[in-house]
Structures are given as C-alpha cells and as structure tokens.
Amino acid sequence: MSQSTAATTPLIVPELVRLDVSAGADKQAVINYLADVVAASGRADTTEGLAADALAREATAPTGIPGGIAIPHCRSPHVLAPSLGFARLTDPVDFGAADERGADLVFMIAAPAGADDFHLQLLAKLARGLMKSEFTDALRAAATPEEVARLVTEQVQPELLDDGAAPAPAQEGAAAAAAPGGTGRVIVGVSSCPTGIAHTFMAAEALEQAGKERGVTVRIEGQGSGKIDWLDADLVQSADAVILAHDLPVKGMERFAGKPVIDVGVKAAVNDAGSLVDQALAAIDDPNAKRVAAGGAGGEAEGEEEHVHWARRLQRSVMTGVSYMIPFVAAGGLLTALGFLFGGYDITNNASNIVTGSSLWNLPDLANPDMAAPNALGGSPLMAYIGAVFFMLGSTAMNFLVPALAGYTAFGLAGRPGIAPGFAMGALSVAIGAGFIGGLIGGLLAGYMASWLAGLDVPRWLRSLMPVVIIPLFTTLVVGSLMYMVLGNPLASFMNWLSDSLTSMAGSGSAIFLGVILGLMMCFDLGGPVNKAAYLFATAGLSAATTASYEIMAAVMAAGMVPPLALALATTVRPGLFTEVERDNGRAAWLLGASFISEGAIPFAAADPLRIIPPAMAGGAVTGALSMALHVGSRAPHGGIFVFFAIDNLLGFFISIIAGMLVTALLVLVLKQARARKLVAEAAAEAAAAA
C-alpha cells in the first residue's frame, strides 16, 4: 500500500469497535476476541495467526498501563491492513498494569509485518493520546461505535474528518526552552520498547506531560520501528539532563555525553513519569549524579552498564563481534569457494601469478602454455583466470575476519571509541600468529580499557576529544604493548597447538567425537551463544585452508541444518500433532533449513522446548559424527545446499543431514504423540469423574 493510499485509509472504523462487552476472564481471551474482530472485518487473514503473534508479544512484557487501559499490539504477517481493534469491557481484565487495576479500555494495535513509517506514525499518535485523561474519558463516555471511531480518528488521522485539522506541531529546537511559565530547565531523552510501537510513544508522551505539569521543557525522542524524528541538535546541546526510558540500546548516545542521566526501562516512564522528571531535576544540581559516558558506552548509559552482570556483558560483546564478523566470512568464504569451482583445487598455488598485472584491459595470454589449467572448469585458461580473481577477492575479505571480530567485540563493550583499537588488536593478532583466539582476547581487553577511559570524569573542554583521539590512542598503546610483550607468544603457541591437534584428528576416531560435540553445540540453542561459539570455531579455521578445517566447517553447517529440516518433515508427516501456526512455520522451515538457518526451529523450541531441543541435539550429534566419519568438507561458511559446489563428498553431506533429520523428526513425533495420549487420558479421566 502506498503512502498516499494509506493516508486515506482509516485505522479504525465502527466495525472494529465493540462497546460494553464481556470478552473473557483473562487477557488471552480478550486478545483472541479482538483478533477475531480484526479478522472478521477483513483486515487479517486468520484470527489464530494474529492472536498468536499478539500473545507472543504479550509474553515478553505486559501491555497494561495505569488507568484501566491495555494496548496489546504486534507486527504480524497475518495483518492485511493497519488496524485498531477496540473493546470497552463490562468486566475489566488484568493486563499487568502497575496500579493492579483491570483494563476496561482495550486497544489491539495490529500492524503489518512490513508497516511503513506512515502507519507507525499514526500508531504513535494513538499511544500518545492514551496518556491524556480527556481522551480516555471520552472513550468511556461514548455511546456508539461511530463515536469511538471518530474520537480515535481525531487523534490519529484528523485530516480524514470533514471538519478536522491537523494539530499544530510541538515546539522543537532551542526555542522550546523559552516556553512561557517555564523554569528554564531543559530535559531531553529517548524512549524505546522491543516492538517500537506503543510503549515507545506512550513513555514519550507521559514524560512530556509530566514536564508541562512542572513548568519544565521535556522533549523525548521516540526510537520506534519507523523513521526516527531526531531531537534538534541545538536543543540537545542546551539540555540540562537526560532521561532514557528504553528496553533497547539507544541510537546516537554520544549526543548526550557528559550530561546527568536517569536510565530506566520504558515501563517506568509509562507508570510514573513524574517521578523520573523529578529525579532528573535533582540530578542537574547533584555533582555526583550519574552521567552519560564520553563514548556513549556502546549505545547505553553508564548507569545501565553498572547493573549488567559482567558475564552477560562479556557474552553480549562477543556476540556483537561474531555478528559483525559473519558478513566478512560469508563474502570471503563464498568467493573463495567460487574460486575453487572455476579455477580448480590447485588455484591456491597460482592465483597470485595469474592475476598480478592483469585486468579487463590487459588480460593474460590465455593461449600461453604457462596458463594451462587442466584442473580448471572445463580445462579452460579463461576459467582459471576468473577463478583466480574470485579466489584473490575471497582471500582479501577473509583477511578481515580476525580484525572484524576484535574490532566489533571492543565496540560491544565501549561503543564507537572501541572500534579502532579493537581492529588494531585483531590485525596485531594476525601478525603475531595468535589467530582468532588472540583477536578475541585483544578485542575484549581493548573494549574494557576503552570503556573505562570513557567513564572517567574529565573536564568539559576535554570531553569532545575523548572518543576520537584520547581513548583510541591510549587504548591502542596500552593493550597493543601488552599483546606484543606479554600475551603474543603464549597465544601464538596455543594456536599452533590447536591447529596441529585438529590436523592430527582428521581421519581418526577423535574426529567423530569432535563431530558429535559440534553437532550438540549447533542444536543446543539454535542461533544462541553456544551455537555461535561452534560456528565461530569453524569459520575462523577456514583461513587455514586445511582438510581438517574444511571437515569441521561441513560438520557444523550440516548439523545446523538438521533442526528446521526435521521439524518441517515432522509437521508434514503428522500435521495433527502440531498447531496451525506450527504447521505454517514447518512449511517455511524447509527453505530455512536448506539454507542453513538454524533459527527456523526457534518457534517450535520456544513453544515446547523439552520435546524439541533434546531431539534436535540428538539429530545434530548424529549428523556431526557422520559428516566427520565420511570426511565431508566445505570451503563455504554458509549457504546449505545452495553451495553444493563448495562441498567435498556431496553424497556424504546429504547422507549425514538426512540421517540426523530422520532421528530428530522421529524423536519429536514420539514425544508429541506421548503427550497427546496423556492429554486424551486426562480428559477421559476428568469426564469420568464428572459423570
């Protein structure tokens, strides 16, 4: 739907409104009721799909707010048009509001999975409106669905009404600080929630309203799912304090460096915005108040980092490094695999000689006997040249693997000031032979030191130099010296031992045991930290270009494909054991599994972990063991069956995957069937007891 069309389509119509109804005794029943209202109006394809997505969002955090209001919401592929379902309940239902009051006004915000910025802006207006008592009072007093639809449309789409007029824009910029009756104090901030629709903008409205009540200028930037309306730079510069009400990392944190900060979750602002404004006002005059770190601390405030457990912070930074490294591995690994496809297995020996000094305007003499390429695709010298180009490109990209891992691990700990020293430690690790282990340790050390420097209380005139000069300079100097003079040789020796050990394991019984361990890790948390640790271990070894490293990569990729493929098979063979939503997920899991996207099994594991994860681990272990036993190798780090050309022993690759897939699917079906029989027996027992 184009924005111009969306502008003339109302979010709410009388058919979406239900007044003075009893929708059930709990929030699950109310959500199902409103999902049915939206689907019955033709704005969602299924009641079940929309309800499942809304309930999944509800499980992450309650959507009740003080004052008898609830706003269950979600973005769902089952929504055909952005909609607001509304029910005024005769029997209030508990949605987890802080004041423990049941909700009698319930909105369901249903946004399409690909909702554009325009739709999200309209939903943000509703969220802000629900924080105004005159709006909610009018909803409670409305006599007809048409009146409710008009009230809501006046709030979110006044241009659709014949007599409507868009409200005047709020004051922005430094001039807002001079609002009549104000104290001259200016507070700015950011709000965000996981979905980025409702609580994000309700928190912003609540804080701004609390500021008005106190004669203080408060401007909050809602970092929602759509386009961000950034705070005016002059206003930020003149602000006396910052309020961060967020459940996601704050974007552009460095803008607030050095300012007193109140850092809370988004619900705290919705529930008691006045208290937060009072705390911010007190922090302005408190020289010991917490302040935003000079480097932004990775997009989070100093205060939040103090309350994050060190192990959680360490894990999060390593996962950040791995996530940013993967594109380098994917690009480099796939290009290298294409180089072998076109240039032959021996392209590593002559790629540099073929490419050096040549270009499209200066092709090598392909007729020269020295260009003979019997192992290239079709024995063609031209294919050898193309393969050499691909191989050199891939090798260049792979050279960034360790620096990217180290740089973005440091970024995860210290924000932008950690990137430069982190990259330097990664490059240094490669130079001294410490490999990815050295890069990981160097990145962590650089991140911790940069974070410590960012937290120092320095004079105001020095703060602007900290993130761009002082922190990178001193971090690189200190951590680099430590790596060179103390850690370099031990780490290099460890990497040599690890490489020699892996090489010796190839073709031995130990390789099968290694395959079992890697398979278990890949299927334990399906894309989580354990899965990523196994994947990092495999991809980091690809740069060694040894038989052992290729076999480890193949075992990891094959095992990671098993859970989604097995669940796709299980839902196809016995669909009656699964819900409609799970059957839909099962159809999508065929492609996800074939592409080596382990996360395709997460919806199943989240709904029934005890009957999904153990079978997945069993199948992954079988696949990993078989892959190593059959000496399957992969020169590509990702792609599943679509990088077949990069697989050594392709038949063994498929045998390994199919075996693990059958084991997992069979175990899942056995466990699901046992549960179904138990439920039938319990129902029969209850019926007999009732009789």
Side-chain angles (χ1 to χ4, degrees), residues 260-460:
V261 62
I262 304 300
D263 193 347
V264 296
V266 69
K267 289 279 284 186
V270 176
N271 294 335
D272 193 1
S275 174
L276 298 182
V277 174
D278 291 339
Q279 292 177 45
L281 291 172
I284 295 172
D285 300 317
D286 182 0
N288 297 318
K290 294 176 182 177
R291 295 177 180 271
V292 179
E300 294 176 342
E302 209 174 15
E304 182 184 7
E305 285 297 320
E306 290 180 0
H307 294 89
V308 176
H309 191 276
W310 68 267
R312 171 61 178 158
R313 190 180 179 200
L314 177 66
Q315 174 203 331
R316 188 168 58 188
S317 65
V318 173
M319 293 297 291
T320 299
V322 172
S323 297
Y324 279 101
M325 179 202 74
I326 287 175
F328 290 91
V329 179
L334 290 171
L335 283 168
T336 302
L338 288 171
F340 283 111
L341 172 66
F342 287 100
Y345 67 86
D346 58 346
I347 193 65
T348 56
N349 301 323
N350 52 20
S352 180
N353 293 332
I354 294 175
V355 173
T356 300
S358 64
S359 68
L360 286 176
W361 295 272
N362 183 28
L363 283 171
D365 184 3
L366 300 179
N368 190 322
D370 293 337
M371 286 291 295
N375 298 308
L377 190 63
S380 166
L382 177 60
M383 292 297 100
Y385 173 69
I386 293 174
V389 171
F390 286 167
F391 179 82
M392 294 299 290
L393 284 171
S395 299
T396 301
M398 290 293 285
N399 288 337
F400 286 97
L401 189 155
V402 176
L405 173 65
Y408 288 109
T409 297
F411 169 75
L413 287 167
R416 190 172 60 182
I419 293 180
F423 264 87
M425 294 310 104
L428 172 59
S429 180
V430 173
I432 62 179
F436 81 94
I437 296 293
L440 190 58
I441 292 175
L444 289 171
L445 292 174
Y448 277 117
M449 181 165 186
S451 179
W452 175 73
L453 288 172
L456 294 178
D457 188 10
V458 298
R460 182 179 293 273

Side-chain angles (χ1 to χ4, degrees), residues 303-683:
E304 182 184 7
E305 285 297 320
E306 290 180 0
H307 294 89
V308 176
H309 191 276
W310 68 267
R312 171 61 178 158
R313 190 180 179 200
L314 177 66
Q315 174 203 331
R316 188 168 58 188
S317 65
V318 173
M319 293 297 291
T320 299
V322 172
S323 297
Y324 279 101
M325 179 202 74
I326 287 175
F328 290 91
V329 179
L334 290 171
L335 283 168
T336 302
L338 288 171
F340 283 111
L341 172 66
F342 287 100
Y345 67 86
D346 58 346
I347 193 65
T348 56
N349 301 323
N350 52 20
S352 180
N353 293 332
I354 294 175
V355 173
T356 300
S358 64
S359 68
L360 286 176
W361 295 272
N362 183 28
L363 283 171
D365 184 3
L366 300 179
N368 190 322
D370 293 337
M371 286 291 295
N375 298 308
L377 190 63
S380 166
L382 177 60
M383 292 297 100
Y385 173 69
I386 293 174
V389 171
F390 286 167
F391 179 82
M392 294 299 290
L393 284 171
S395 299
T396 301
M398 290 293 285
N399 288 337
F400 286 97
L401 189 155
V402 176
L405 173 65
Y408 288 109
T409 297
F411 169 75
L413 287 167
R416 190 172 60 182
I419 293 180
F423 264 87
M425 294 310 104
L428 172 59
S429 180
V430 173
I432 62 179
F436 81 94
I437 296 293
L440 190 58
I441 292 175
L444 289 171
L445 292 174
Y448 277 117
M449 181 165 186
S451 179
W452 175 73
L453 288 172
L456 294 178
D457 188 10
V458 298
R460 182 179 293 273
W461 62 267
L462 190 58
R463 288 173 187 164
S464 61
L465 293 176
M466 290 291 288
V468 294
V469 177
I470 296 174
I471 295 176
L473 172 62
F474 281 93
T475 301
T476 303
L477 175 63
V478 173
V479 179
S481 298
L482 181 64
M483 290 287 290
Y484 259 125
M485 296 188 289
V486 180
L487 299 176
N489 286 335
L491 289 173
S493 298
F494 174 74
M495 284 301 299
N496 289 333
W497 169 82
L498 183 61
S499 177
D500 293 342
S501 299
L502 290 175
T503 301
S504 66
M505 289 175 69
S508 69
S510 299
I512 296 176
F513 176 71
L514 178 61
V516 170
I517 298 300
L518 291 173
L520 291 172
M521 293 177 69
M522 287 300 295
C523 300
F524 174 70
D525 53 0
L526 304 170
V530 177
N531 171 286
K532 287 294 189 291
Y535 184 68
L536 172 61
F537 175 63
T539 54
L542 279 181
S543 58
T546 63
T547 300
S549 65
Y550 294 148
E551 291 185 359
I552 290 170
M553 187 70 254
V556 164
M557 183 155 64
M561 296 166 64
V562 164
L565 288 174
L567 290 162
L569 177 63
T571 56
T572 301
V573 174
R574 293 292 305 278
L577 294 175
F578 299 88
T579 67
E580 182 180 346
V581 173
E582 287 176 327
R583 292 194 292 271
D584 288 340
N585 289 332
R587 286 187 281 272
W590 284 113
L591 179 59
L592 295 174
S595 305
F596 179 36
I597 300 176
S598 305
E599 289 84 350
I602 287 179
F604 298 91
D608 196 1
L610 294 179
R611 294 176 183 83
I612 299 299
I613 292 178
M617 293 175 66
V622 169
T623 295
L626 278 175
S627 179
M628 296 297 285
L630 296 173
H631 301 292
V632 179
S634 174
R635 292 179 171 85
H638 214 290
I641 65 173
F642 300 103
V643 291
F644 63 90
F645 55 83
I647 304 296
D648 298 327
N649 189 4
L650 186 60
L651 178 60
F653 183 66
F654 283 117
I655 290 174
S656 302
I657 294 171
I658 292 171
M661 183 174 70
L662 291 174
V663 168
T664 296
L666 178 62
L667 290 175
V668 167
L669 291 176
V670 168
L671 294 175
K672 289 279 190 181
Q673 181 64 50
R675 178 175 180 270
R677 287 175 179 170
K678 181 180 178 181
L679 292 175
V680 170
E682 290 176 350

